[in-house]
Amino acid sequence: TFSETHNCLTVYISLLNSDLRTSRARLLEMFTDTTCDPEIMKNATDTYFSLLQGFIASLDGTKQENKLRFMQNFKWTDTLQGNTPSAQQDAIFELVSMAFNVAIWHAKFASRLAGKENVTEVEAKDVHRSLKFAAGIFKHLKEVYIPRLITPAEKGRDLDPRVMDTYMVQCKAEAQEVTIARVIELKHNATLIAALAFETANFYQKADHTLNTLEPECSSKWRNYLQLKQHFYMAYAYCYHGQTLLASDKCGESIKSLQEAEKCYSRAEALCKEYRQTKGPGSTAKPSEQLFFTTLGGLIKITLQKCERENGFIYFHKVPAEVPQLELKASYGLAEPISFEFPAVSEQCTPEVYTTFDLTKGAKAEKAKPKQEEEVKPMKEPDLKPQKDTGCVIS
């Protein structure tokens, strides 16, 4: 009978809402679970996002807006804005906010894995993949879902396209750092290493420039980190470009390139100190104390001494006044974001269930509340102390 069918649908709707709440709570737990890995995270995200899609995607066979999209108010805090939340009565706001945190989790997972002693080749590949996957999420959100928000993201919030862009580019840059470490370990030619370092420095410069219109109090620390990484990889590029020039019997230009590497390295050291002293959101990495940082300083010094010695015995070239141009383009090893798509709508979200939802009994009467100046207690993350500091600011 109609009454029995209606009662069954009512129970089904209640179960659907319960599943949505349960899967959301489980996903939030995964963010702070030290045993969580990418496969567990994928299962948790697919379950929640497929149910949440039932409140966003059209379920009645038309192109009209899903009537459930605006029934619930969601609040999220932001990485740069402390514990003052922003709120929107929009399921897409929830979708992009949760996905943003999934991307951050993948970046943190990569940092934690990279912080182990004696990272294996398989683990290095996992670090590389996690960073590219995070970049893919940021890219997809910025291009597809953030433009669909009814209320545009506030300046400096996580969903601000500039913040999203910066995270995406930084993830690509850090993925390329893994590649650079690999090609150096396998003793690939200096030209490839210089080109990859140059491309990576350009990524960090692009990320820094993307933040230059944000308020200094929330972006200065982040920008200092991006700038020190830019100068560090420019030092790498000039160092290995100098080796290439020496191999081509251009000893004078090689010396000039190594001298420029010294300047970039010194600037990176100064920015490391400035970064540690700058107050701002996020943890503070110590890249200048890491082996990869100190090793480069020694390599530049030894290589420059070799070039000067060779020039004094063999070449007798004049050191040019102008620094050799780095017209380098890497043909291999460039990190590209891994394509990301949200899962399909859950089979639980049927047209029959959709048509039965009665918004007059739900949150329809509750209009989106203005942002309240209140403190929201952040989720307490585990005190993960890596065996070595990776120098990764996203962590």
Side-chain angles (χ1 to χ4, degrees):
T1 65
F2 172 78
S3 177
E4 290 173 338
T5 302
H6 181 74
N7 287 338
C8 287
L9 283 171
T10 301
V11 171
Y12 192 76
I13 291 170
S14 178
L15 289 173
L16 177 60
N17 283 329
S18 176
D19 287 348
L20 187 68
R21 287 193 296 271
T22 301
S23 61
R24 186 180 194 271
R26 171 167 169 73
L27 179 51
L28 291 174
E29 287 176 3
M30 290 301 98
F31 290 149
T32 58
D33 186 346
T34 57
T35 65
C36 183
D37 60 29
E39 184 177 354
I40 295 173
M41 178 58 67
K42 177 173 170 38
N43 291 335
T45 55
D46 283 355
T47 300
Y48 179 61
F49 287 145
S50 65
L51 289 168
L52 187 61
Q53 289 277 45
F55 292 74
I56 297 171
S58 177
L59 300 178
D60 58 1
T62 70
K63 294 184 179 180
Q64 291 184 343
E65 195 73 70
N66 189 317
K67 66 182 180 182
L68 307 178
R69 175 179 167 182
F70 305 106
M71 68 178 292
Q72 179 65 46
N73 193 48
F74 296 96
K75 288 183 180 181
W76 283 91
T77 55
D78 298 83
T79 53
L80 300 180
Q81 303 291 337
N83 295 331
T84 302
S86 54
Q88 290 193 35
Q89 193 157 322
D90 186 349
I92 288 184
F93 176 70
E94 164 70 2
L95 184 77
V96 295
S97 297
M98 186 68 84
F100 176 92
N101 281 275
V102 172
I104 293 292
W105 180 89
H106 279 279
K108 289 187 173 188
F109 175 79
S111 176
R112 190 165 75 244
L113 197 57
K116 293 177 59 179
E117 291 288 354
N118 303 317
V119 177
T120 66
E121 182 177 337
V122 172
E123 289 170 335
K125 287 181 179 179
D126 287 341
V127 171
H128 195 248
R129 176 177 172 78
S130 290
L131 288 166
K132 293 195 297 180
F133 190 70
I137 296 176
F138 291 130
K139 184 175 188 291
H140 187 62
L141 295 179
K142 176 179 177 288
E143 293 179 352
V144 179
Y145 282 89
I146 288 179
R148 292 181 62 186
L149 290 171
I150 299 300
T151 305
E154 297 174 52
K155 185 177 180 180
R157 295 282 180 178
D158 287 343
L159 306 188
D160 182 330
R162 293 166 297 182
V163 175
M164 197 73 71
D165 250 345
T166 304
Y167 272 121
M168 179 188 71
V169 175
Q170 183 177 336
C171 283
K172 289 170 61 177
E174 291 185 348
Q176 281 190 193
E177 290 190 54
V178 179
T179 305
I180 292 171
R182 178 69 174 169
V183 297
I184 291 174
E185 180 185 4
L186 296 180
K187 295 180 169 55
H188 281 272
N189 67 71
T191 302
L192 175 59
I193 297 172
L196 283 171
F198 183 58
E199 298 272 14
T200 304
N202 286 340
F203 273 149
Y204 279 116
Q205 183 181 51
K206 179 181 178 182
D208 173 47
H209 288 174
T210 304
L211 292 178
N212 64 9
T213 55
L214 294 185
E215 295 298 326
E217 56 265 25
C218 67
S219 64
S220 292
K221 189 178 186 68
W222 195 358
R223 292 194 64 192
N224 281 342
Y225 171 82
L226 297 171
Q227 289 164 13
L228 76 85
K229 278 297 188 78
Q230 178 207 342
H231 284 85
F232 176 76
Y233 280 100
M234 284 301 293
Y236 245 122
Y238 278 115
C239 177
Y240 279 92
H241 187 52
Q243 294 183 22
T244 300
L245 291 169
L246 180 62
S248 302
D249 296 324
K250 298 178 180 178
C251 197
E253 292 180 44
S254 175
I255 292 172
K256 189 64 179 180
S257 186
L258 267 298
Q259 289 173 345
E260 189 64 21
E262 275 193 326
K263 290 180 183 179
C264 292
Y265 186 80
S266 295
R267 178 59 180 150
E269 284 185 311
L271 283 166
C272 282
K273 294 178 182 178
E274 188 176 330
Y275 165 69
R276 288 197 297 268
Q277 294 169 359
T278 302
K279 294 183 179 180
S283 58
T284 301
K286 299 176 182 178
S288 61
E289 298 177 10
Q290 300 313 303
L291 184 62
F292 76 90
F293 196 98
T294 55
T295 299
L296 176 60
L299 178 63
I300 292 171
K301 183 178 179 180
I302 292 171
T303 309
L304 178 56
Q305 289 174 347
K306 176 184 176 181
C307 291
E308 290 173 336
R309 190 167 56 248
E310 295 295 306
N311 200 43
F313 278 101
I314 302 171
Y315 295 103
F316 304 103
H317 289 171
K318 181 180 179 180
V319 178
E322 296 294 324
V323 178
Q325 291 296 311
L326 290 177
E327 297 176 352
L328 304 172
K329 187 72 177 176
S331 302
Y332 309 98
L334 293 177
E336 288 297 329
I338 294 175
S339 179
F340 173 80
E341 294 285 343
F342 285 106
V345 179
S346 171
E347 293 179 355
Q348 294 177 250
C349 304
T350 64
E352 292 77 17
V353 172
Y354 174 72
T355 56
T356 311
F357 267 99
D358 185 358
L359 298 186
T360 61
K361 297 180 181 180
K364 183 180 180 182
E366 181 186 349
K367 296 186 178 180
K369 298 176 183 178
K371 182 185 70 174
Q372 298 178 3
E373 297 298 323
E374 60 181 31
E375 287 287 305
V376 173
K377 293 182 179 180
M379 296 180 66
K380 183 172 177 55
E381 295 189 58
D383 185 17
L384 296 175
K385 294 182 179 179
Q387 296 170 12
K388 61 178 182 179
D389 183 358
T390 61
C392 173
V393 73
I394 290 183
S395 68

